[in-house]
Amino acid sequence: MCFSAEADFVGAAVVGAIGVATLTEPHSRRELPLAALPLGFAAHQAAEGFVWLDLEGHLPASAGRVALYAYVLYAWALLPLLVPLSILLVEPLRSRRRWIGALLAIGAAVGLYLTWAMTDDGIAARISGHTLEYTGAGAHADLVTVLYVIATCGAFLISSHRRIVIFGALNLSAVVFLAWVRADAVTSLWCAWAAVASLLVYFHFARRREPATVPEEVPVYRR
């Protein structure tokens, strides 16, 4: 994934199938945002496939621009808000909900800043080796990137659900490794990895009837 248009489209199809299956698992509306993440990642990878086609000269410039903004808007502006929100909605423990709520506030601030940066400075993508590099995150890109990771990966790690924590740990490890290997292409590479790892979101729902390891505390709600 993220190494060519073809790889993105194949990846989007595979993750999309996982996403459709995941959407059949929720038992309440509170679970829908989390269950929708894999399908969102699939659409996200499909959008990057069109960005590739544009950069390779196979799309009209206007269509390529729409694909670019769709990809970056989801990655930069929506994910730092959607991820902690989706975890907050399914978290039964009050103490952990407070911490996740704080991360939701950070994610919202990050999303607002990156939205402003996109409209103020514009964004651009270019082929860099075998992946894509996105620019236009503004003058405070490094700080915002750190806050982005804290809001997204941190929300998973705080969860009382074991498989959600595993998802967060894998994503945090991946983003640290990818930043070390290819800091200039971490947006593309990490989002591709997150799409693959979203299979764990499906397993969270499909296997949640197994006994869960949850700290002894009175839940806020019962499912």
Side-chain angles (χ1 to χ4, degrees):
M1 298 174 70
C2 78
F3 299 114
S4 68
E6 295 78 11
D8 270 319
F9 288 134
V10 170
V14 172
V15 178
I18 295 170
V20 171
T22 306
L23 279 177
T24 67
E25 296 292 337
H27 293 168
S28 71
R29 278 183 272 183
R30 296 177 69 91
E31 298 174 330
L32 286 176
L34 180 61
L37 282 181
L39 200 59
F41 279 123
H44 195 223
Q45 289 307 122
E48 187 171 65
F50 288 106
V51 175
W52 272 104
L53 292 178
D54 173 51
L55 295 175
E56 292 170 344
H58 303 311
L59 274 186
S62 57
R65 200 68 182 164
V66 170
L68 172 62
Y69 270 87
Y71 182 88
V72 175
L73 183 66
Y74 184 80
W76 291 2
L78 294 181
L79 270 183
L81 176 65
L82 290 177
V83 167
L85 176 61
S86 67
I87 304 303
L88 178 67
L89 289 174
V90 299
E91 177 53 51
L93 303 186
R94 186 184 302 275
S95 59
R96 301 200 182 201
R97 285 170 61 86
R98 293 194 190 99
W99 286 102
I100 297 170
L103 294 181
L104 175 60
I106 293 174
V110 168
L112 286 172
Y113 170 80
L114 289 173
T115 300
W116 169 80
M118 283 188 288
T119 57
D120 188 58
D121 298 330
I123 55 174
R126 69 182 184 90
I127 298 174
S128 176
H130 297 289
T131 187
L132 299 183
E133 177 184 348
Y134 296 89
T135 58
H140 305 290
D142 291 341
L143 173 60
V144 170
T145 298
V146 172
L147 294 176
Y148 182 107
V149 173
I150 290 173
T152 52
C153 294
F156 285 106
L157 294 175
I158 293 174
S159 173
S160 60
H161 299 284
R162 180 171 56 86
R163 280 178 287 274
I164 292 179
V165 174
I166 293 173
F167 181 95
L170 289 174
N171 273 296
L172 180 59
S173 300
V175 75
V176 171
F177 175 74
L178 293 172
W180 176 65
V181 174
R182 286 294 308 275
D184 58 341
V186 71
T187 294
S188 178
L189 291 171
W190 181 69
C191 287
W193 160 254
V196 175
S198 64
L199 182 61
L200 286 172
V201 177
Y202 170 76
F203 287 138
H204 165 70
F205 288 108
R207 301 176 62 187
R208 63 184 167 176
R209 290 188 178 88
E210 297 178 359
T213 303
V214 179
E216 293 84 358
E217 185 175 327
V218 178
V220 174
Y221 63 91
R222 296 182 183 272
R223 280 181 270 176

